[in-house]
Amino acid sequence: MNKDKRTQIFTRLKTHNPEPTTELNYRNPFELLIAVILSAQATDKGVNKATDELFKVANTAEKILALKESGLKKYIKTIGLFNTKAKNIIRTCKILIEEHDSEIPEDRAALEALPGVGRKTANVVLNTAFGHPTIAVDTHIFRVSNRTGIAPGKNVVEVEKRLLRLVPEEFKQDAHHWLILHGRYTCIARKPRCGSCIIEDLCEFKDKPLD
């Protein structure tokens, strides 16, 4: 795929959705961080249902720490891996209070040092909360990047590096959101909805369904 094709793809995605954002509900960087930690192997809808109630009573590091693991689990027990996530969130809140004055660090290394925060979560926070032109590659973005030919790669890090190199600069800030939404609703895993895809003629997927 050449630069002109990529530019056309992102131009169409931008025209269709000029201001894309995460589907996780949040009001500040701390709420976003907690929501993204909870979203691992879970749906945004399921996370929002839990955090809508959790954030009413605890939306700061101090308040969540005061809940303790047992109290936090009551709010997130419907989310997969909630035991591990509760433990990580409590430890993360403690570190935020002790090492970062309860603020979310705008730094990749500091974010990735928090329990439950890996490269993908750090990228989401840096991009969505702080406006960094990072691209967090999840299963949707990995699939879309490989299937369309935008930025093929054998693993998520390889795809991320290629996207950062190949996505035209003017689209880099929002590329994460456009690609994840495209993968979630159009370029779905089992049978992509090519007939309703706004970039079908630009996509280089060889096995497009006939109907």
Side-chain angles (χ1 to χ4, degrees):
M1 180 174 287
N2 58 38
K3 182 178 179 181
D4 181 60
K5 245 186 195 182
R6 290 189 187 90
T7 299
Q8 289 186 63
I9 285 173
F10 284 102
T11 297
R12 290 188 193 178
L13 292 173
K14 182 175 183 177
T15 300
H16 181 71
N17 186 2
E19 297 181 357
T21 189
T22 179
E23 293 187 314
L24 291 169
N25 295 336
Y26 75 99
R27 292 166 295 185
N28 55 54
F30 177 78
E31 289 188 358
L32 177 64
L33 175 66
I34 300 305
V36 179
I37 291 174
L38 291 172
S39 71
Q41 298 182 49
T43 65
D44 287 0
K45 185 177 180 181
V47 172
N48 288 338
K49 188 174 180 181
T51 57
D52 284 350
E53 296 303 314
L54 171 64
F55 292 155
K56 287 177 184 176
V57 298
N59 69 338
T60 66
E62 289 82 359
K63 289 179 180 178
I64 286 186
L65 193 60
L67 287 177
K68 299 182 180 179
E69 271 189 56
S70 57
L72 177 57
K73 286 179 184 179
K74 292 177 183 177
Y75 290 96
I76 67 171
K77 62 185 178 182
T78 56
I79 298 173
L81 307 175
F82 73 93
N83 285 311
T84 299
K85 291 175 182 178
K87 184 175 293 186
N88 284 336
I89 287 171
I90 292 296
R91 289 167 60 208
T92 282
C93 287
K94 189 175 181 182
I95 293 171
L96 289 173
I97 293 167
E98 294 177 351
E99 300 181 17
H100 302 287
D101 297 321
S102 301
E103 297 293 325
I104 304 302
E106 191 175 342
D107 174 81
R108 176 183 298 282
L111 283 168
E112 290 189 23
L114 299 171
V117 178
R119 185 179 183 88
K120 184 179 76 173
T121 297
N123 276 333
V124 172
V125 173
L126 289 171
N127 176 270
T128 306
F130 299 116
H132 292 218
T134 58
I135 300 176
V137 179
D138 68 348
T139 54
H140 296 300
I141 294 178
F142 183 79
R143 179 176 65 255
V144 172
S145 297
N146 276 286
R147 185 182 273 168
T148 62
I150 291 173
K154 295 178 182 178
N155 55 62
V156 293
V157 174
E158 193 173 309
V159 169
E160 179 190 335
K161 288 180 178 178
R162 285 191 176 175
L163 284 170
L164 289 171
R165 179 166 54 88
L166 296 171
V167 172
E169 201 64 38
E170 66 266 34
F171 302 113
K172 206 165 284 184
Q173 174 63 42
D174 293 319
H176 163 78
H177 297 301
W178 284 319
L179 292 174
I180 196 171
L181 292 171
H182 192 68
R184 187 172 288 168
Y185 297 111
T186 303
C187 197
I188 56 178
R190 291 192 177 184
K191 190 177 181 181
R193 295 165 179 156
C194 296
S196 60
C197 177
I198 61 173
I199 62 168
E200 182 184 5
D201 58 312
L202 301 169
C203 171
E204 296 182 355
F205 182 42
K206 293 181 174 61
D207 299 313
K208 294 175 185 174
L210 297 176
D211 55 357

